[in-house]
Amino acid sequence: MKKLLASAVCLGMILSSAVLFTGCGERIYIDGDFSKEATAEEVNAVLASVQANEDTLFGDTTEEGWDYGMRIIEDAAMKVSLSAAGESMSLDISAGGELNAVYDADGIRASGSLNSAFNMSSTAEDATSVEANVEGNVYLTGSALYLDGAVKVAAGEQSVDVNGKYSLGAFDDYVMVELPDAEGIGADMLSALKATGAKIYIDAGDAETKVKVSYDLEGFLNAGMLPDVGGDLAAFMDAVEFDNYDIYFSFLNDTGELTGYGYVAGMRIPETTVGEGENAATLSMDVSANVWYLAGDAQVQEPEDIDSYENIMTAIIKG
């Protein structure tokens, strides 16, 4: 059973941030004059600049001694409740982290804090309720991930609660905090500038250009921002309360180097029932987002006693 719980911990860690929706305050870190929509000519000028500098968004990676520092701010929250055909399920996810990251020729190093929780329950036959919580300081070097903090997991009637310093293994096995890359951000920037129906605002300064792209509900849905809860969401679309879905980015005019990227979004579906009798289904959902990648000097702190960190699976199985 302890091995099962160890697997449940990994599941909770992975799913708790698999959808990086943020709901801990909507702070805008790229602040510009976005009072007037950009003209087609202005949009095309920014598009041309981004396309010309796609390969150097994080600076000139071929330059000797190159590195690129970034502050990563990601907090996540999503609640879903669904009932249909005599069964019900609920999902409550929160995941947040604030990291300093440095990219260089050797890869990525990062350190910071993490707070992640995953709670899922279901009345379906043979379903097991799962709760997983991870909180503490994390350190990433190469592909290895370390935690100095607490891990709590409960699956059914079994539970594990450990607190200490742990080696979590390969970073690729977890999605607790997403580490961005230049290629992905560049693709998102180009997609936003080419989006049909989106409103684009540009603040072109002498040294830096700032951009805001505002999508409508259709753009939000097309971006795949809603989680898959195993039901047909189309039937509930009339009940959606849409707040916003805005992408922000900024870059230096002379080099095209990225100085910041982020997005904010929000939508909810109040408790709504569609259909009647045996075909009735009830859904409520609350999703929001506030994620930022901000360039600058980043101090990454490696724990001095990192070689003594215990394997997390060993710690959980020992109980």
Side-chain angles (χ1 to χ4, degrees):
M1 178 59 71
K2 289 293 180 65
K3 290 184 178 181
L4 173 62
L5 289 172
S7 298
V9 168
C10 287
L11 175 66
M13 285 179 171
I14 291 171
L15 293 183
S16 62
S17 299
V19 186
L20 283 168
F21 294 116
T22 317
C24 298
E26 189 175 288
R27 180 176 177 181
I28 306 301
Y29 288 88
I30 299 176
D31 187 18
D33 180 4
F34 303 127
S35 59
K36 185 173 66 175
E37 278 192 69
T39 65
E41 183 179 0
E42 290 170 331
V43 172
N44 287 334
V46 171
L47 181 60
S49 177
V50 173
Q51 289 174 325
N53 296 290
E54 271 189 280
D55 295 333
T56 56
L57 282 180
F58 284 10
D60 184 358
T61 59
T62 64
E63 186 177 283
E64 185 177 353
W66 164 82
D67 64 18
Y68 181 82
M70 179 184 289
R71 181 185 175 198
I72 300 171
I73 304 168
E74 296 180 345
D75 296 305
M78 177 178 68
K79 292 185 178 181
V80 179
S81 177
L82 175 66
S83 60
E87 297 180 348
S88 63
M89 64 81 67
S90 65
L91 184 66
D92 190 348
I93 292 174
S94 64
E98 184 165 341
L99 299 178
N100 287 325
V102 173
Y103 298 72
D104 58 26
D106 295 325
I108 307 172
R109 293 175 293 112
S111 64
S113 60
L114 172 73
N115 190 335
S116 177
F118 172 84
N119 298 281
M120 180 178 66
S121 62
S122 173
T123 62
E125 186 177 358
D126 297 328
T128 299
S129 297
V130 176
E131 296 184 14
N133 298 271
V134 181
E135 181 177 4
N137 295 319
V138 293
Y139 175 71
L140 167 69
T141 176
S143 61
L145 184 63
Y146 301 86
L147 170 73
D148 180 357
V151 176
K152 299 179 181 179
V153 61
E157 298 179 355
Q158 301 296 317
S159 64
V160 166
D161 185 346
V162 294
N163 192 329
K165 299 180 178 182
Y166 305 109
S167 169
L168 303 183
F171 177 75
D172 289 343
D173 291 341
Y174 303 90
V175 197
M176 289 186 297
V177 176
E178 181 181 4
L179 292 178
D181 60 77
E183 182 178 356
I185 290 179
D188 288 346
M189 291 165 62
L190 291 174
S191 177
L193 290 168
K194 297 176 182 179
T196 301
K199 294 182 178 180
I200 301 177
Y201 307 86
I202 297 173
D203 182 357
D206 293 335
E208 184 182 27
T209 294
K210 302 176 182 180
V211 179
K212 173 184 177 182
V213 180
S214 293
Y215 292 82
D216 56 13
L217 176 58
E218 183 178 355
F220 176 84
L221 298 175
N222 289 339
M225 297 292 284
L226 287 184
D228 180 4
V229 294
D232 183 6
L233 289 177
F236 297 92
M237 285 300 99
D238 288 342
V240 169
E241 296 177 358
F242 177 68
D243 293 330
N244 61 339
Y245 177 36
D246 300 328
I247 289 178
Y248 296 80
F249 59 86
S250 57
F251 57 87
L252 298 177
N253 294 337
D254 57 349
T255 65
E257 185 172 321
L258 186 75
T259 55
Y261 174 89
Y263 63 88
V264 297
M267 65 77 64
R268 70 200 58 80
I269 299 177
E271 186 172 304
T272 302
T273 300
V274 297
E276 297 180 355
E278 294 181 355
N279 296 320
T282 301
L283 173 71
S284 66
M285 180 182 297
D286 196 331
V287 176
S288 57
N290 197 354
V291 175
W292 297 92
Y293 309 136
L294 307 171
D297 293 333
Q299 301 297 319
V300 177
Q301 303 296 326
E302 177 179 349
E304 294 182 357
D305 57 347
I306 196 169
D307 292 336
S308 67
Y309 277 37
E310 183 179 15
N311 182 281
I312 186 66
M313 295 305 176
T314 301
I316 291 174
I317 291 172
K318 289 193 309 184

